[in-house]
Amino acid sequence: MFTTICQIATGRGVYGNVFGFLGGISWEILTARVCQLYPCAASSTIVWKFFRVYSQWEWPSPVLLRPIKPEGPGHRVWDPRVHPKDRWHLMPVITPAYPSMNSTHNVCRSTLSLIQEEFARGRDICSRIEKGETQWPELFTKNDFFYRFTVYIQVEISAGTTEEMQMWEGFCQSRLRVLVMSLENTPRIRCAQPYAQLFRGASELQSLFFIGLKFEPIQPQSGVNARVQVNLTRPVAEFEEAVQMFSQRTPKMAVAVSYLRRKQLPAVVFDGAPPPPDAIERQRLSSDVVASSQSPPDAQQPDAKVRRVSSGVSSPPLQSAASSPPHQPASSPPPQPAAAVSAAPVVAPPQQQPVAAPPQAQPQPQPQVAPKRQIAEFDDIDQLLYAPATS
């Protein structure tokens, strides 16, 4: 059972403690806990119960195989009542051996949300398998990480020799969660989800790591062309500072952080083949909806480029009918000059019987076209991600 669960987690991109997900020990503890709850169940039932139990689990309630033994002298035991730092753990999975420790301390908000989505997906697929609507291979399909986001962060790791690359790659992997957590705390970024797999670049001495970004929805303001700037200077600086602590670093050991749009991703992430055209057309977004896919429908233009949407010419403000003169049609005769007012007194009609003035034919004003909806937009992707910090 444990091998089956690990195969599903690896294919879905949620396996790896160093990337902020669950490692082998954590997945084994979760599987063992389900086996404790259903000791006589068949293997297929265990898989179905696994996704059902953890899709409804109320995190951060810990997963325990046995009660935690009290802390002894010289040994620190996971206990949020005693240690305040343990209260910040989002998905505690406690090891059964003494001293009890949390095996998922690297899990952050973004990775937890992705793991919960996979639990819910597995539960839904198992429900359809039970009804005969699908088969088991659907549960093992690979995830669509590189079609899910619009903007990605690429971390490129390189070294001079194979031995240096092995040490440098391992150290940078252990510091990648620093970058993920810093991106989560950046304003206007909803979540930063890493992909739990490294890709080889142009050579064996180059590795690539990717993080998908989701932005908060943009609320357009009436009459104002809203702009959003996301400053990534601080997260990148914190990550570079963390990797510079490597004591055995050589001049050829380098790390570079850059941003990419979906169409700029290397072909290696798609198994050497370009992404399907229908997936690109279906998920292509204009620059004004980079921060959110929940923008108004008219803002999602399939052929829009990452540039400013409006033409730069501001439309004049609308004038009311009382303040603006009515528009004269081209076919109407020119207006006659006003008649001179006589100095003779004019007898007013009786107040009891007011005479209604005959209706005067007034030219119909042409309908005024309302200005186009002002939506949030970005001039350039550089301004979106690397805007200077405002004082």
Side-chain angles (χ1 to χ4, degrees), residues 48 120-136 138-139 141:
W48 157 232
R121 172 187 173 272
R123 178 199 58 197
D124 298 338
I125 293 178
C126 290
S127 299
R128 290 190 284 111
I129 292 175
E130 186 178 11
K131 297 177 183 178
E133 299 176 358
T134 186
Q135 300 295 328
W136 285 103
E138 184 180 354
L139 196 61
T141 56

Side-chain angles (χ1 to χ4, degrees), residues 34-165:
V34 176
C35 293
Q36 285 182 344
L37 298 176
Y38 305 94
C40 300
S43 300
S44 58
T45 305
I46 292 294
V47 175
W48 157 232
K49 297 296 184 180
F50 178 89
F51 292 106
R52 182 179 180 181
V53 168
Y54 294 114
S55 63
Q56 302 175 0
W57 196 273
E58 296 181 357
W59 305 103
S61 299
V63 177
L64 302 172
L65 296 181
R66 56 179 298 178
I68 300 177
K69 293 184 179 181
E71 183 174 331
H75 296 87
R76 186 182 184 279
V77 177
W78 184 87
D79 191 350
R81 300 169 299 179
V82 178
H83 307 288
K85 291 184 178 180
D86 295 342
R87 303 172 188 173
W88 295 95
H89 294 169
L90 303 178
M91 191 180 182
V93 179
I94 310 304
T95 57
Y98 180 85
S100 300
M101 297 181 294
N102 181 21
S103 61
T104 59
H105 63 278
N106 286 344
V107 175
C108 56
R109 295 195 311 268
S110 299
T111 55
L112 175 60
S113 63
L114 184 57
I115 294 173
Q116 290 177 327
E117 290 177 4
E118 295 301 328
F119 285 154
R121 172 187 173 272
R123 178 199 58 197
D124 298 338
I125 293 178
C126 290
S127 299
R128 290 190 284 111
I129 292 175
E130 186 178 11
K131 297 177 183 178
E133 299 176 358
T134 186
Q135 300 295 328
W136 285 103
E138 184 180 354
L139 196 61
F140 295 85
T141 56
K142 297 186 66 175
N143 66 344
D144 56 346
F145 177 83
F146 293 103
Y147 304 107
R148 191 181 305 171
F149 304 94
T150 304
V151 178
Y152 294 84
I153 298 296
Q154 175 184 280
V155 180
E156 180 181 346
I157 304 170
S158 60
T161 62
T162 305
E163 293 77 10
E164 292 180 354
M165 184 63 184

Side-chain angles (χ1 to χ4, degrees), residues 58-300:
E58 296 181 357
W59 305 103
S61 299
V63 177
L64 302 172
L65 296 181
R66 56 179 298 178
I68 300 177
K69 293 184 179 181
E71 183 174 331
H75 296 87
R76 186 182 184 279
V77 177
W78 184 87
D79 191 350
R81 300 169 299 179
V82 178
H83 307 288
K85 291 184 178 180
D86 295 342
R87 303 172 188 173
W88 295 95
H89 294 169
L90 303 178
M91 191 180 182
V93 179
I94 310 304
T95 57
Y98 180 85
S100 300
M101 297 181 294
N102 181 21
S103 61
T104 59
H105 63 278
N106 286 344
V107 175
C108 56
R109 295 195 311 268
S110 299
T111 55
L112 175 60
S113 63
L114 184 57
I115 294 173
Q116 290 177 327
E117 290 177 4
E118 295 301 328
F119 285 154
R121 172 187 173 272
R123 178 199 58 197
D124 298 338
I125 293 178
C126 290
S127 299
R128 290 190 284 111
I129 292 175
E130 186 178 11
K131 297 177 183 178
E133 299 176 358
T134 186
Q135 300 295 328
W136 285 103
E138 184 180 354
L139 196 61
F140 295 85
T141 56
K142 297 186 66 175
N143 66 344
D144 56 346
F145 177 83
F146 293 103
Y147 304 107
R148 191 181 305 171
F149 304 94
T150 304
V151 178
Y152 294 84
I153 298 296
Q154 175 184 280
V155 180
E156 180 181 346
I157 304 170
S158 60
T161 62
T162 305
E163 293 77 10
E164 292 180 354
M165 184 63 184
Q166 185 176 3
M167 294 186 300
W168 181 238
E169 184 179 271
F171 182 81
C172 292
Q173 285 186 24
S174 64
R175 298 297 184 270
L176 285 174
R177 67 187 187 97
V178 176
L179 177 60
V180 175
M181 297 180 66
S182 298
L183 291 172
E184 286 183 343
N185 298 327
T186 302
R188 305 299 304 178
I189 294 182
R190 174 180 294 181
C191 68
Q193 293 184 357
Y195 188 68
Q197 181 180 350
L198 285 175
F199 297 90
R200 290 300 174 188
S203 64
E204 293 294 330
L205 302 179
Q206 183 182 23
S207 299
L208 303 177
F209 176 78
F210 295 93
I211 303 173
L213 299 182
K214 284 185 178 180
F215 300 91
E216 295 179 354
I218 302 176
Q219 301 296 336
Q221 302 177 3
S222 58
V224 178
N225 199 5
R227 295 180 181 274
V228 177
Q229 295 180 352
V230 180
N231 188 1
L232 297 184
T233 304
R234 178 176 297 178
V236 174
E238 292 179 356
F239 175 69
E240 292 179 349
E241 182 180 357
V243 298
Q244 287 178 359
M245 299 172 58
F246 189 48
S247 58
Q248 302 179 5
R249 184 176 181 179
T250 62
K252 293 186 178 181
M253 294 181 180
V255 58
V257 181
S258 58
Y259 62 87
L260 298 174
R261 286 175 287 176
R262 188 189 300 114
K263 64 180 181 181
Q264 297 174 335
L265 291 173
V268 66
V269 302
F270 304 104
D271 296 333
D278 56 345
I280 298 180
E281 293 296 333
R282 184 175 63 253
Q283 299 190 17
R284 184 185 297 172
L285 302 178
S286 58
S287 60
D288 52 282
V289 292
V290 168
S292 175
S293 60
Q294 301 177 356
S295 298
D298 55 350
Q300 301 182 7

